[in-house]
Amino acid sequence: MHPHQLHATRAAWSLTHARRRLNDAVAQEAAERRAEARVVAAASSLQAWRPIPGPSGRGGHGDPAGRAVVDTLEPDVRDGRLARFAATTTQTLAWLADALRLPATSDPIHALGDAVPALRPTTCRELTLWLDEADTRIRDRLHLDPDGTDLPGRRCPRCARRQLTAHTTGPRSTWTVTCAPTCLCIGDDCPCGMDIRALDVPHVWGPDHQLTTTLPTAA
Ligand SMILES: [Zn+2]
Ligand SMILES: [Zn+2]
């Protein structure tokens, strides 16, 4: 694959993982909001049942059905901030998939990830920017580390620095290794060993390269 396609694949899997974490956070947020709403509903039910002092001295109460409603129905809870944030991210991905005329899938990130090998490298470069931006926003929001695992001791064949990162979130056939974003390919004369040496693309090695094939499975 072209390095732009490898970057898009890396970005798609990183975002897939970040969105899973976001979905977990959304579920937790919804549970908290439901619990809160239950407390509020119970309190207002108590309020409704409070004896009403009156001149007759007779105790009254509000809607007698109120207690039964609290016991049997989940209070209606509107989406919280994280849920709205997740929905916006999904809308962006759906818009991207639509703009690329990809077939509809249950989740647009699947369509985008699957389409990468068939997309032109220049399209993949743009797609990577969109996916990385969405990924960064989610990780900032949830205080997650960036995707990838440091590869201590391994040197970049271009810059010789030990700052390589393994991206192994998806299946093995999608794994990549990257150098720092500032380590750019110099084209045909570059000693990087990428299958396709593309001028000015940040170095990325695909699943067939020795840097990636030698990664331990549990990396
Ligand atoms: Zn490098
Ligand atoms: Zn290179």
Side-chain angles (χ1 to χ4, degrees):
M1 279 207 281
H2 189 281
H4 281 316
Q5 292 171 315
L6 292 174
H7 277 298
T9 301
R10 168 197 60 70
W13 279 102
S14 175
L15 179 57
T16 298
H17 187 66
R19 284 174 78 232
R20 275 189 209 132
R21 299 287 298 271
L22 178 58
N23 285 343
D24 292 346
V26 167
Q28 195 189 335
E29 178 189 59
E32 284 166 9
R33 288 171 72 84
R34 269 196 303 277
E36 241 168 67
R38 265 187 232 117
V39 170
V40 170
S44 65
S45 169
L46 280 181
Q47 189 85 357
W49 277 79
R50 189 179 56 186
I52 300 164
S56 67
R58 212 159 45 89
H61 54 73
D63 176 14
R67 182 178 287 173
V69 169
V70 172
D71 287 345
T72 57
L73 289 182
E74 280 287 357
D76 206 15
V77 178
R78 278 195 286 172
D79 281 352
R81 285 178 184 202
L82 285 177
R84 295 198 300 274
F85 174 56
T88 307
T89 307
T90 305
Q91 276 165 18
T92 303
L93 297 176
W95 174 82
L96 279 169
D98 194 51
L100 294 170
R101 302 184 197 291
L102 304 181
T105 48
S106 58
D107 187 332
I109 191 67
H110 300 319
L112 291 165
D114 291 349
V116 163
L119 294 176
R120 286 189 306 190
T122 48
T123 307
C124 286
R125 184 185 60 205
E126 298 303 310
L127 180 60
T128 302
L129 294 175
W130 281 96
L131 299 180
D132 275 344
E133 193 198 325
D135 183 73
T136 302
R137 264 190 281 130
I138 294 173
R139 289 173 191 270
D140 283 353
R141 190 80 174 246
L142 300 182
H143 309 294
L144 302 176
D145 288 332
D147 180 64
T149 319
D150 291 346
L151 282 183
R154 308 289 294 273
R155 282 178 190 274
C156 170
R158 160 66 180 141
C159 68
R161 273 173 291 201
R162 295 185 175 96
Q163 52 185 8
L164 298 175
T165 306
H167 304 271
T168 56
T169 306
R172 186 142 200 156
S173 62
T174 67
W175 286 10
T176 56
V177 170
T178 55
C179 192
T182 50
C183 179
L184 305 179
C185 195
I186 57 169
D188 288 340
D189 297 329
C190 192
C192 63
M194 293 200 305
D195 283 347
I196 299 173
R197 279 162 296 179
L199 189 64
D200 289 343
V201 182
H203 279 121
V204 55
W205 295 271
D208 300 332
H209 190 273
Q210 181 258 342
L211 273 173
T212 312
T213 53
T214 51
L215 291 173
T217 300

